[in-house]
Amino acid sequence: MILAGAGSARAGQVYYVSGLFEAVIHRLQDLNGDGDALDTGESTVWADGLFQPRGLATDGPGIFVADAGTAHILRFEDLTGDGDALDAGEMTIWADGIALPFSLARTLGGAVFVSVSSQDTVLRTVDLNGDGDALDPGEQTLYATGINAAHGIMISADVLFVAAEGDDGTYRLVDANDDGDALDTGENLLHAAPLGGPAGLLDAGSDCYFASATGDHVVYRVCDTDGDGDALDIGEVLPFAGGVLAGLNTPRGLAPHCDGAFMLVETADDEIVRVRDLNGDGDAYDIAEVLPFAAGIEQPFDIVASDVDGDGVVDCADNCPNAFNPDQADANGNGQGDACDTCPWDCGGDNDDAVGIVDFLAVLGTWGMAGVPCDFDGGGVGITDFLKILGTWGPCP
């Protein structure tokens, strides 16, 4: 799931948090727009019937939960539309027989990866026969081994990253030969170290990610700045936020927010904090850059942001929140993705849901240019685009 950039925020983003001590899943939402979910009704119990809920992932309508107490991966969905998944039939078993599952990550293709800390492994679960679970033969397979105390996992550009709390590093897993695992030579390599007990990972884009470290009480920013496939070089692992004196204590799960910030689980403090580099200095150590978002969840463990259409972009940053469009393509640059834009030819920048003189002049003014809003076919603004403007003149349907 991508971390959205500044300027794309929309109110009402929903978060789900696993409460280890309470054995429930909480639903968090800032209903009054004051920047937190600390007010009445903004934190509710969304799912129960668990024993030791840990890692979370989403496929859009459903939330996957690694329940260490039952050795299950469970899936919850609010089928009745009443704002929770507490009703009969809203919990199903996705996978079972996994001893102490820890964290989860889901691909856009539907595979759910599971880190198993007690066995130093990563499993791949997938519904091959379309029956809604991964309980059948061949649907649960070993993906990687030898990861000391495998904790947080993250998928970025088809690469799986795993936090190894036992050796203070993260590993990069790639199925190079396309045989369904990362068990072969060169497919499982140390990516970054030392990280002081990495527990959670979050994609930050541009070959970077955030790693929470429970041992150091720090969130690190990890970047492969020289493009050599790892972050083992000088300056590629830097503290971003944290330390007990800076207000963090046992940071664990992370989830993207929609203004360049992210949410961070503080397990020992029973709270969720919002972390953001407000002044653009490359860290969140300054005043008001780490603020409380939610409290009163006993031993929160992981957090996931809602993504209704399941395209890997959080709802508040998605330019088509109800249409699957992981590429976020927006040809006319009006902030509404091509997948849901009913007026894609309104390309002149006035965003009036009509094709008129402003759009006509925009075509003439960018004639021959490629990759601009009025270049509808990607081949440079030309006669095809000119005719499209003339043929769609007037209000859009």
Side-chain angles (χ1 to χ4, degrees):
M1 183 171 288
I2 66 169
L3 187 67
S8 57
R10 298 187 182 98
Q13 175 67 48
V14 174
Y15 296 92
Y16 299 92
V17 179
S18 52
L20 189 61
F21 182 81
E22 301 168 278
V24 300
I25 305 300
H26 287 264
R27 181 183 186 274
L28 308 178
Q29 186 175 19
D30 175 15
L31 297 173
N32 62 4
D34 66 350
D36 61 53
L38 294 166
D39 304 288
T40 302
E42 294 186 328
S43 175
T44 59
V45 174
W46 188 76
D48 62 9
L50 297 138
F51 286 86
Q52 294 180 32
R54 293 187 176 180
L56 304 173
T58 183
D59 61 3
I63 302 295
F64 295 89
V65 183
D67 191 9
T70 61
H72 289 156
I73 307 301
L74 303 173
R75 184 183 180 277
F76 292 85
E77 183 177 352
D78 177 13
L79 298 173
T80 62
D82 63 352
D84 62 53
L86 297 168
D87 304 291
E90 294 186 325
M91 178 185 75
T92 57
I93 297 174
W94 168 259
D96 65 3
I98 302 173
L100 299 177
F102 208 91
S103 294
L104 304 176
R106 183 183 180 275
T107 70
L108 293 180
V112 177
F113 289 90
V114 186
S115 64
V116 186
S117 181
S118 61
Q119 298 178 2
D120 300 339
T121 61
V122 174
L123 304 178
R124 180 179 183 268
T125 65
V126 63
D127 177 15
L128 296 174
N129 60 5
D131 65 351
D133 61 53
L135 296 168
D136 304 288
E139 294 186 329
Q140 180 187 134
T141 56
L142 180 64
Y143 189 77
T145 62
I147 301 169
N148 191 358
H151 277 37
I153 55 178
M154 175 195 78
I155 297 169
S156 177
D158 297 324
V159 177
L160 189 68
F161 293 86
V162 183
E165 189 178 56
D167 62 13
D168 290 344
T170 59
Y171 287 79
R172 183 177 185 271
L173 311 182
V174 180
D175 179 13
N177 61 3
D178 201 28
D179 64 350
D181 61 53
L183 297 169
D184 305 288
T185 302
E187 293 185 330
N188 179 351
L189 298 173
L190 181 67
H191 184 261
L195 295 172
L201 303 175
L202 176 65
D203 191 0
S206 301
D207 292 320
C208 295
Y209 56 87
F210 295 107
S212 61
T214 57
D216 285 352
H217 311 288
V218 166
V219 175
Y220 291 96
R221 183 177 174 87
V222 181
C223 297
D224 177 14
T225 55
D226 60 6
D228 64 352
D230 64 52
L232 296 169
D233 305 290
I234 295 174
E236 293 188 325
V237 175
L238 297 173
F240 184 80
V244 174
L245 296 178
L248 295 188
N249 186 9
T250 319
R252 192 174 291 280
L254 306 98
H257 193 50
C258 34
D259 57 0
F262 59 85
M263 298 300 175
L264 173 67
V265 170
E266 277 276 78
T267 300
D269 291 338
D270 295 343
E271 68 176 358
I272 310 299
V273 297
R274 182 173 179 267
V275 182
R276 184 183 180 191
D277 176 14
L278 288 171
N279 61 5
D281 66 350
D283 63 51
Y285 280 99
D286 303 288
I287 295 173
E289 292 189 328
V290 177
L291 295 173
F293 181 77
I297 300 173
E298 296 186 71
Q299 293 184 17
F301 195 89
D302 199 11
I303 183 169
V304 66
S306 64
D307 170 21
V308 170
D309 56 10
D311 62 4
V313 184
V314 295
D315 294 332
C316 61
D318 198 333
N319 62 19
C320 285
N322 295 303
F324 184 89
N325 64 329
D327 61 3
Q328 296 288 284
D330 178 13
N332 62 3
N334 68 348
Q336 189 171 27
D338 297 341
C340 60
D341 193 346
T342 59
C343 196
W345 310 285
D346 177 18
C347 63
D350 54 350
N351 298 329
D352 61 352
D353 287 328
V355 178
I357 189 63
V358 171
D359 310 296
F360 176 79
L361 292 175
V363 168
L364 296 182
T366 58
W367 196 269
M369 298 182 186
V372 295
C374 295
D375 177 19
F376 303 126
D377 59 6
V381 178
I383 190 62
T384 300
D385 308 295
F386 178 77
L387 293 176
K388 178 62 72 174
I389 291 292
L390 294 182
T392 58
W393 197 270
C396 290

